[in-house]
Structure formats: structure tokens, C-alpha cells
Amino acid sequence: MSLWFTHPLFLPSLIVGVTIVLWATSLLPEFITALLFFTAAMTAKIAPPDVIFGGFASSAFWLVFSGFVLGVAIRKTGLADRAARALSAKLTDSWMLMVASVVLLSYALAFVMPSNMGRIALLMPIVAAMAKRAGIADGSRAWFGLALAVGFGTFQLSATILPANVPNLVMSGAAEGSYGIHLNYMPYLLLHTPVLGILKGLILIGLICWLFPGAPKPARDLAPAAPMGRDEKRLAWLLAVVLVMWVTESWHGIGPAWTGLAASIIVMLPRIGFITGEEFSAGVNMRTCIYVAGILGLAITVTHTGIGNAVGEALLRMMPLDAAKPFTSFLALTGITTALNFIMTANGVPALYTTLAQSFSDATGFPLLSVIMIQVLGYSTPLLPYQASPIVVAMGLGKVPAKAGMLLCVALAVATWLVLLPLNYLWFSVLGRL
């Protein structure tokens, strides 16, 4: 037993394990658990400070921050209500139509906007105003369903579009760096969209309508909207510039986080911007920001300490990978990704899994590229909200309780494993990838 306590991974594993359990069970508010992780990790010196607090240096953290700021401005100027007015006139006739429109909008925006966090920041105030016009009250189950539709539609469905999701980019970079494999946009889209995009989107819509029922009221205010005010026009132009910068990132090389941060600074400038210091304090949810920094810091710490490698090698020995049983091997590889999601979260999983892909390929007989692609179903289907920071952000913006997010996570994961995983295997087989 003493060997366990003297093992170099014992203390880091204990701290990471307790943090994950606290997040999974919601015994403490999520941001307090994040602060406890920072405190315990620094006190025990399990990693350098720049690793433990690496989440604050991550572009994802600053996208979350700027998303809150831009959301406050969009709501204050009335731009959110104007967009919601245009949408609610046609999309609030039924609950299924309303949920489907939000999911479809979240997915469609991923084709032109590369940042999950940016899409959530843009959509959430619009959807909130749309819900208000349809008579859906804040804090109601129906509102929780719409907020989760934004988060799940944005994160899970965008995994089928190569540049629209951080884990996808991590996987692409790891595949190129480790094996010289360059992933292409259209083949990737064809491989994943039918099952993990279209079918999963339909299941998501059905689950939200079932678990979070709502009864929207058709918009009765048919009077023409008032002309856009000066602040609305200025903010609309600013958002248009931000959107163009996001879409053209591959040309100019400026990350979405820094474009969003620059826009949020403009929004807050005295006499030029749109929101005051008091409005910033009230509208920017620092609890969620700290929570996201904790998630990202934990993933970086797991990689730095070697916990991820140890778990990955253990899973490689334990899982039934057999070239004579292709479906079992497919199932096992998906299970490995799902297990890694618990300790590394979605952003960190591809970095480790992809480096082990050659070993998995040798054990299963699957082509290396196919082994790399199989992980997408696993990391895009979190079992708990903390495993996907965009879902956490959507829940924070919508003030969705942890239990509601966990309920949809578990329901969609079970449906994915029972229905979509076999269909995904068949689709890989039809395309000759196995």
C-alpha cells in the first residue's frame, strides 16, 4: 500500500479525481471546485503555476470573457430583440419548430464561424429575446431546453465540421505532427455529417422537446419594427467586422479570441462603447469564467503530469481490441475516447488519443486514418457537462442548473451509444474505412 502513496502520480491523480467527482456531483458550486483545484494543485506543487493556471492563458477563456461582454452590449442596445423579433415572427408556432430552429441555427452558424464560444455568445442573447417574445419565462424548463439547444447544438454538432471545433483542430494538428496526415474539409464532412450531424441533431431536438416541454405563444406584435438606433447600427457594424475576422482567420492569422477581446474592449470604452462598469459587473458571469479556466487548467495538468499517458496505456491493455472482431474494436475505441473524456475533457482527448492511434491501428487492423476518425463520436458526446466547456458556457449564460445539463448529457449519450454508434460503424463500413 505504501507504494501507492509514494508513486509520483498518486497525489496528482487524487487531486484530479476529487475535482472531477465534485464537478460531476455538483456537491459544491462549480467555480468553488475550480478554486479548490487551483489551491490544492499549487499547495501540493503537482505542476508549475503556468500549467495549473494555463486555462487563464487559453484562447477559450478569453472567448468566454469577450462573449459575456458582447452579449451584454447586444442585449442593451436592442439588437438582440430586433433579431429575435425577425425570428419569432415565423419560428414560434410550435415548440418543436422553435427548438429545431435554434438547433439548426447553432449548427448552420458553425459553417461560417470557427469559434464555439463566439457562436454561443452571439446566439444566446438572441435566443433569450426570442424566448421572451414567445412567452417563455426565465428559469422555466422550456428556457433551460432552449439554452441547452444552443450549447449542445453548437458543440456536439459542430464536431462534424473540421475547423469549427477546438477538439477537431487539436486532432488535426496531432495527426499532422505525429503521422504527417493532413485532414481535408470535404472528406471529413462526408464521413461525419450524416450520422453525427443530421441524425444526432434530430435526436437532440426530440430529447429537448421531451425532457424540457414548452408551449410558445405565437408573436402577436405584427407592427413594423422601429428604425435602428445609432447604437444599434454601430454595434451591428462592429459585430459584422468581428464576424468577418472570425471567418477569415486562416488569412490574417488573428485568433477568434483576440478579435473578440478587442471588440469587447471597444464595447466598454468610455464615450465610445455601449456598457458601463456597473453593467459589466452585473452582466459578466465571472463564476463561469473561473469554472472554464479550471476545466482547461485541469486538462493541461493531466497532460503535463503524465496521468493522461498512464490512463491511455492502461486502456490500451484493457480494451478488447481484436482484428477478428471489427465491431467490438470499434466499440472499444469509442469507449477509450469516452473514458479519456472524464479526465482530460474534450479539448485534451485528441492530443493523447491521436498519439496512441498507431498502436490502436496495429491492434485492430483498421487503417490509421480511420482509427483517428473514430474518436470524434467519443469526444463530441460528453457524459457530463464539465467535459465540454462550450456547454458549460451556454449553461452559465442561460443560468441552467447542473442537473438539467446532466440530464440531457446522459440522455443524448445513451441515445448516441445505442442508436448512432452502430449506424456510425455501418457508415464507416459503407465508405470502406474499416
Side-chain angles (χ1 to χ4, degrees):
M1 180 64 72
S2 60
L3 292 176
W4 284 91
F5 293 106
T6 57
H7 195 282
L9 291 183
F10 173 76
L11 194 54
S13 298
L14 179 64
I15 292 172
V16 168
V18 170
T19 302
I20 289 172
V21 168
L22 289 175
W23 274 334
T25 57
S26 298
L27 292 176
L28 292 172
E30 291 84 353
F31 78 101
I32 293 181
T33 298
L35 292 173
L36 281 174
F37 164 72
F38 293 141
T39 303
M42 285 299 297
T43 302
K45 299 180 180 179
I46 64 173
D50 61 325
V51 172
I52 295 169
F53 293 102
F56 289 100
S58 167
S59 60
F61 173 84
W62 291 105
L63 272 170
V64 173
F65 175 84
S66 59
F68 276 118
V69 175
L70 293 175
V72 173
I74 291 169
R75 286 190 296 271
K76 181 185 176 183
T77 59
L79 203 56
D81 191 59
R82 182 175 296 277
R85 183 190 184 95
L87 291 172
S88 60
K90 300 177 181 179
L91 301 176
T92 57
D93 292 339
S94 73
W95 181 234
M96 181 167 287
L97 178 62
M98 192 171 183
V99 172
S101 67
V102 172
V103 171
L104 180 60
L105 190 60
S106 301
Y107 189 24
L109 201 56
F111 283 91
V112 296
M113 197 171 172
S115 163
N116 275 329
M117 303 299 187
R119 294 195 299 274
I120 289 172
L122 188 65
L123 283 175
M124 193 61 80
I126 294 173
V127 173
M130 179 178 165
K132 185 177 180 181
R133 288 180 58 80
I136 295 174
D138 286 348
S140 64
R141 287 192 66 77
W143 165 244
F144 296 157
L146 288 178
L148 291 171
V150 174
F152 280 70
T154 295
F155 173 74
Q156 297 212 20
L157 304 187
S158 69
T160 63
I161 306 165
L162 186 57
N165 194 309
V166 171
N168 292 0
L169 298 176
V170 173
M171 175 181 64
S172 178
E176 190 163 357
S178 300
Y179 310 110
I181 295 175
H182 180 71
L183 303 183
N184 294 310
Y185 186 96
M186 288 307 298
Y188 184 94
L189 193 69
L190 175 64
L191 183 63
H192 295 296
T193 298
V195 176
L196 300 184
I198 297 171
L199 293 181
K200 195 174 191 179
L202 292 174
I203 291 176
L204 175 61
I205 293 166
L207 286 174
I208 291 174
C209 290
W210 176 48
L211 297 173
F212 304 95
K217 300 174 183 177
R220 299 186 181 278
D221 182 10
L222 301 179
M228 291 181 70
R230 179 173 175 270
D231 282 352
E232 275 187 276
K233 290 180 180 177
R234 290 172 56 227
L235 183 58
W237 278 110
L238 176 62
L239 292 176
V241 171
V242 170
L243 183 58
V244 169
M245 292 289 287
W246 278 340
V247 172
T248 59
E249 179 196 355
S250 60
W251 296 350
H252 53 68
I254 301 174
W258 319 127
T259 301
L261 185 58
S264 66
I265 292 171
I266 294 172
V267 160
M268 294 185 291
L269 285 175
R271 294 185 297 277
I272 295 175
F274 307 93
I275 63 176
T276 64
E278 291 74 18
E279 289 165 338
F280 167 84
S281 300
V284 177
N285 190 337
M286 292 307 299
R287 293 173 47 145
T288 299
C289 291
I290 292 172
Y291 178 24
V292 171
I295 291 172
L296 298 171
L298 180 133
I300 298 170
T301 301
V302 163
T303 302
H304 179 85
T305 56
I307 296 173
N309 276 315
V311 172
E313 294 292 345
L315 289 172
L316 178 60
R317 292 192 297 270
M318 292 167 52
M319 287 295 184
L321 302 176
D322 187 348
K325 299 178 180 178
F327 180 70
T328 301
S329 295
F330 190 94
L331 188 66
L333 290 176
T334 305
I336 288 173
T337 316
T338 301
L340 291 176
N341 222 357
F342 277 94
I343 62 164
M344 304 192 73
T345 71
N347 287 352
V349 168
L352 174 60
Y353 177 98
T354 306
T355 60
L356 299 172
Q358 186 62 63
S359 299
F360 296 154
S361 177
D362 295 340
T364 61
F366 293 157
L368 176 59
L369 180 59
S370 298
V371 170
I372 294 172
M373 291 293 98
I374 288 170
Q375 67 180 299
V376 176
L377 184 142
Y379 69 61
S380 67
T381 309
L383 189 59
L384 297 170
Y386 83 89
Q387 295 171 349
S389 50
I391 293 177
V392 171
V393 172
M395 290 173 62
L397 286 169
K399 298 180 181 177
V400 178
K403 288 183 179 179
M406 289 173 64
L407 176 63
L408 185 57
C409 262
V410 172
L412 187 55
V414 170
T416 298
W417 295 331
L418 294 180
V419 180
L420 298 184
L421 191 150
L423 291 176
N424 208 38
Y425 172 79
L426 289 175
W427 184 241
F428 270 66
S429 300
V430 167
L431 294 179
R433 294 299 187 97
L434 298 178

